[in-house]
């Protein structure tokens, strides 16, 4: 059995065809000394805002900065609460903690893996200063339902769109429905830099200005600081690379959708496998293709041994992480989140994946499920 392994992600395949362009762009940044902030960053901000259909994008150092800046700019601080989900990457909560505020976790909808709007109202208190739904795996949360509740209470909604570049909700792109949308351009995301980068979209010019000031040491004029900010700038090389890679984002998203369709067709009616559900309200971009299976850990290991590399996003919900033990959540407090975390398996997903590779992944998966010892009833 000398079949080539199927990687979970293949960044090389994305970069090889544009390698010369990327190297030339890096050369231009070196020649113009535009390393921190500057014209390449401004150009990318304009382009990404246009892609999203948003009036502003404030580029920053990474997706965690991109979540943190709008919270800071909205004045979220000590004593405040921010509602989010626990079924996410920990950064959604860290951004809240690094404002001095307290993350409040609510459960997810079992079909979309995103914030359950039915759980939102009960979690709102007089201290709630923001709500952060997470568009996980590239599928948007049910924004109309979330915004209706948030608006009734006058609470701003910040979208964690770090996995949802180009995803839509009733025709509108991620990052344009709430007051702000946070994007990560970590290399493995649907739009990835050649290192760390992030950006926050908003249609609110005052919020954009405040975020831009905060990310640059609170200065609007060099060395004159109107507020205590931070260094959360994007670097010029990342911006120049992102401008090039943005041109292929829509096409990459389309390829991911096709791969997802093929996976779901091939896995249709496979006993023991639940395939991802696409909500009727939107068009996801499949940052990840996540199935649910009973013996998840066993399958992950055996598939890996057979050269099919999968992942888990994420194995332990944030409310049960050691880092957040001080919040006092007990196992059982978010039942859907906890059940899902035990069963999710992310199959290989990247635009350059081939139908043949998908067929092999599914064949291996089905073979293992057929030989698995049935769980005693
Ligand atoms: C990647 C990611 C982040 C953080 O982005 P970084 O660029 O790694 O800081 C935040 N939230 C979600 C849902 C993510 O997937």
């Amino acid at each position: 059995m000398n079949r080539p392994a199927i990687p979970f992600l293949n960044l090389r395949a994305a970069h090889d065809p544009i390698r010369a362009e990327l190297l030339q762009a890096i050369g231009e940044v070196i020649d113009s000394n535009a390393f921190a902030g500057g014209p390449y960053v401004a150009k990318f901000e304009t382009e990404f805002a246009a892609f999203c259909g948003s009036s502003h994008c404030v580029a920053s150092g990474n997706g965690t900065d991109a979540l943190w800046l709008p919270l800071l700019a909205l004045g979220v601080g000590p004593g405040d609460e921010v509602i989010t989900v626990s079924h996410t990457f920990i950064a959604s909560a860290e951004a809240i903690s690094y404002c001095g505020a307290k993350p409040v976790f609510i459960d997810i909808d079992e079909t979309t893996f995103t914030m359950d709007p039915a759980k939102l109202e009960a979690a709102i208190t007089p201290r709630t200063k923001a709500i952060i739904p997470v568009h996980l795996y590239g599928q948007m949360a049910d924004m109309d339902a979330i915004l209706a509740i948030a608006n009734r209470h006058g609470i701003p909604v910040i979208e964690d769109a770090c996995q949802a570049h180009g995803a839509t909700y009733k025709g509108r792109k991620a990052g344009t429905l709430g007051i702000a949308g946070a994007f990560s351009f970590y290399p493995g995301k649907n739009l990835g830099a050649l290192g760390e980068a992030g950006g926050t979209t908003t249609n609110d010019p005052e919020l954009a200005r405040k975020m831009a000031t905060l990310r640059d040491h609170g200065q609007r004029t060099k060395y004159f600081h109107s507020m205590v900010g931070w260094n959360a700038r994007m670097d010029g090389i990342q911006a120049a690379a992102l401008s090039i890679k943005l041109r292929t984002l829509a096409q990459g998203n389309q390829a991911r959708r096709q791969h997802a369709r093929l996976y779901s067709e091939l896995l249709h009616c496979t006993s023991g496998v639940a395939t991802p559900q696409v909500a009727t309200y939107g068009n996801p971009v499949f940052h990840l293709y996540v199935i649910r299976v009973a013996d998840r850990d066993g399958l992950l290991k055996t598939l890996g041994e057979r050269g099919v590399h999968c992942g888990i996003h994420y194995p332990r919900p944030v409310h049960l992480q050691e880092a957040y033990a001080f919040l006092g959540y007990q196992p059982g407090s978010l039942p859907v989140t906890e059940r899902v975390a035990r069963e999710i398996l992310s199959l290989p997903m990247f635009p350059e994946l081939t139908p043949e590779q998908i067929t092999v992944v599914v064949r291996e998966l089905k073979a293992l499920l057929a030989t698995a010892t049935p769980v005693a009833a």
Side-chain angles (χ1 to χ4, degrees):
M1 252 223 348
N2 261 332
R3 211 169 19 75
I6 299 173
F8 178 66
L9 174 68
N10 185 354
L11 289 176
R12 197 62 208 262
H15 293 141
D16 276 348
I18 52 170
R19 189 184 186 84
E21 254 186 299
L22 291 170
L23 290 175
Q24 186 185 336
I26 292 169
E28 284 169 20
V29 176
I30 294 173
D31 292 339
S32 60
N33 294 314
F35 296 114
Y40 293 93
V41 173
K43 177 170 177 281
F44 173 70
E45 287 177 327
T46 305
E47 293 167 348
F48 191 69
F51 173 86
C52 293
S54 181
S55 53
H56 300 84
C57 170
V58 176
S60 56
N62 52 64
T64 312
D65 281 349
L67 277 164
W68 182 59
L69 285 167
L71 288 168
L72 274 185
L74 289 168
V76 174
D80 295 337
E81 295 174 357
V82 177
I83 300 171
T84 189
V85 289
S86 173
H87 185 56
T88 181
F89 181 59
I90 195 167
S92 315
E94 285 175 318
I96 299 165
S97 297
Y98 262 66
C99 292
K102 179 181 151 187
V104 173
F105 300 110
I106 62 173
D107 219 338
I108 53 168
D109 174 279
E110 190 145 8
T111 61
T112 62
F113 302 118
T114 60
M115 179 177 279
D116 183 352
K119 301 283 159 47
L120 183 53
E121 190 116 45
I124 294 175
T125 76
R127 295 168 188 266
T128 308
K129 289 292 151 54
I131 297 166
I132 306 183
V134 181
H135 304 324
L136 204 70
Y137 309 152
Q139 171 148 259
M140 290 180 66
D142 188 356
M143 291 301 290
D144 276 354
I146 292 166
L147 285 166
I149 298 165
N151 291 342
R152 196 153 67 236
H153 292 265
I155 301 169
V157 173
I158 297 169
E159 299 168 63
D160 182 337
C162 287
Q163 301 190 3
H165 320 65
T168 59
Y169 182 88
K170 299 182 182 173
R172 293 161 71 192
K173 288 237 175 80
T176 63
L177 286 92
I179 190 156
F183 292 86
S184 165
F185 306 119
Y186 184 76
K189 302 291 164 103
N190 289 36
L191 175 60
L194 303 177
E196 304 279 352
T200 312
T201 50
T202 183
N203 286 320
D204 181 329
E206 197 39 52
L207 188 69
R209 235 162 82 93
K210 195 153 183 204
M211 290 193 290
T213 308
L214 284 166
R215 84 164 159 196
D216 192 20
H217 299 291
Q219 61 187 353
R220 278 184 190 146
T221 308
K222 196 166 173 137
Y223 301 136
F224 292 89
H225 309 269
S226 56
M227 52 184 98
V228 178
W230 196 253
N231 178 357
R233 294 181 301 243
M234 181 186 279
D235 78 66
I237 287 179
Q238 300 315 329
L242 283 166
S243 284
I244 291 167
K245 294 189 70 182
L246 179 58
R247 292 181 215 141
T248 60
L249 175 57
Q251 160 196 330
N253 283 345
Q254 207 43 40
R256 289 171 185 270
R257 289 180 181 125
Q258 262 163 31
H259 300 335
R261 209 172 305 126
L262 181 56
Y263 267 131
S264 292
E265 267 167 38
L266 296 175
L267 285 167
H268 184 65
C269 288
T270 304
S271 137
V273 176
T275 54
Q277 307 283 302
V278 173
T280 53
Y281 57 62
N283 198 1
V285 290
F286 289 97
H287 173 59
L288 296 168
Y289 183 88
V290 177
I291 60 169
R292 290 175 66 180
V293 287
D295 176 26
R296 191 268 316 280
D297 292 334
L299 277 174
L300 175 76
K301 182 167 173 286
T302 319
L303 281 168
E305 286 163 3
R306 290 168 161 243
V308 174
H309 299 290
C310 299
I312 305 172
H313 303 88
Y314 297 86
R316 178 177 296 170
V318 181
H319 73 289
L320 299 179
Q321 293 285 347
E322 187 184 347
Y324 279 116
F326 70 93
L327 292 175
Y329 287 91
Q330 297 302 316
S333 50
L334 298 174
V336 179
T337 293
E338 292 169 35
R339 183 161 66 243
V340 159
R342 285 190 291 271
E343 298 176 356
I344 44 176
L345 182 68
S346 310
L347 302 185
M349 176 55 88
F350 50 92
E352 299 78 11
L353 195 64
T354 65
E356 293 70 34
Q357 287 176 311
I358 292 171
T359 307
V360 172
V361 173
V362 171
R363 195 176 60 219
E364 293 293 325
L365 180 63
K366 284 185 174 177
L368 291 177
L369 286 166
T371 58
T373 326
V375 183

